[in-house]
């Protein structure tokens, strides 16, 4: 006897209607990473809702979500950073894609959802003409990003301020 497989997730572009669920996923992501809370969850949700509305309306951010059964189970954000004008590029051409907030609910990891989200983010960056993509991986995620073709260098150099 073959049991029916659970419905696979759908990866799609996020919309403003996803703001509540994106806030929930962001909260889970940061708490799982050990972030200490300095505000209430309600205050955080209000701030995140405002961010989502502004970010998804402009041209500097895109977000993708994985959805199963009408519920968001993962997300990734891509910010497009404009480069200083160059003698052979017009302003806004060849931005840098910053991939961030890649998250899949823990019980659903290692099943291809993260890769589908990353592929959507990289595809978006390619379609927007980005010159490259950068990200800051967690220690656990380094092999995942390496398998996806990201370089073997350590995370981009950073100066904590």
């Amino acid at each position: 006897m073959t049991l029916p497989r659970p419905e696979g997730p759908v990866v799609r572009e996020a919309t403003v209607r996803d703001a509540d669920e994106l806030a929930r996923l962001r909260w889970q992501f940061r708490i799982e990473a050990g972030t200490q809370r300095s505000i209430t969850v309600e205050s955080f949700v209000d701030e995140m809702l405002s961010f989502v509305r502004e970010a998804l309306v402009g041209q500097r951010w895109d977000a993708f979500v994985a959805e199963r059964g009408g519920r968001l189970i993962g997300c990734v954000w891509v910010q497009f950073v404009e480069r200083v004008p160059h003698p052979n590029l017009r302003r806004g051409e060849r931005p840098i894609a910053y991939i961030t907030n890649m998250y899949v609910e823990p019980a659903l990891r290692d099943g291809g959802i993260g890769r589908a989200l990353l592929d959507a983010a990289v595809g978006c960056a390619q379609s927007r003409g980005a010159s490259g993509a950068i990200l800051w991986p967690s220690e656990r995620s380094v092999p995942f990003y390496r398998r996806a073709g990201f370089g073997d260098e350590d995370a981009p150099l950073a100066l904590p301020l």
Side-chain angles (χ1 to χ4, degrees):
M1 177 171 151
T2 304
L3 297 174
R5 294 179 59 146
E7 165 191 337
V10 172
V11 172
R12 62 173 175 78
E13 195 165 354
T15 69
V16 173
R17 290 185 306 277
D18 297 317
D20 286 333
E21 284 287 280
L22 285 165
R24 178 184 61 79
L25 291 171
R26 176 71 176 162
W27 181 266
Q28 284 178 211
F29 172 61
R30 295 312 318 158
I31 297 303
E32 182 184 325
T35 299
Q36 296 298 312
R37 292 180 260 197
S38 62
I39 59 174
T40 65
V41 69
E42 295 81 15
S43 178
F44 171 80
V45 168
D46 287 344
E47 192 171 315
M48 189 68 184
L49 295 178
S50 175
F51 171 80
V52 169
R53 287 184 197 108
E54 292 172 21
L56 295 182
V57 169
Q59 293 292 310
R60 295 180 65 120
W61 286 94
D62 278 299
F64 296 89
V65 295
E67 180 178 30
R68 179 184 284 163
R71 183 172 176 276
L72 298 190
I73 57 174
C75 63
V76 63
W77 287 81
V78 185
Q79 182 181 30
F80 293 92
V81 180
E82 183 179 10
R83 294 170 58 183
V84 174
H86 190 278
N88 67 354
L89 296 174
R90 293 182 137 350
R91 184 167 180 200
E93 289 182 336
R94 312 276 295 150
I96 296 167
Y98 167 51
I99 298 174
T100 189
N101 196 55
M102 167 71 82
Y103 183 75
V104 174
E105 291 182 340
L108 300 170
R109 292 182 186 153
D110 300 319
I113 297 167
R115 182 58 190 255
L117 285 164
L118 183 60
D119 288 348
V122 169
C124 175
Q126 290 170 326
S127 73
R128 295 269 301 263
S131 62
I134 60 169
L135 52 79
W136 277 263
S138 67
E139 189 174 324
R140 179 187 186 279
S141 68
V142 169
F144 167 76
Y145 290 115
R146 298 261 194 271
R147 287 190 304 274
F150 282 78
D152 60 2
E153 66 279 346
D154 289 333
L157 298 178
L159 174 64
L161 301 175

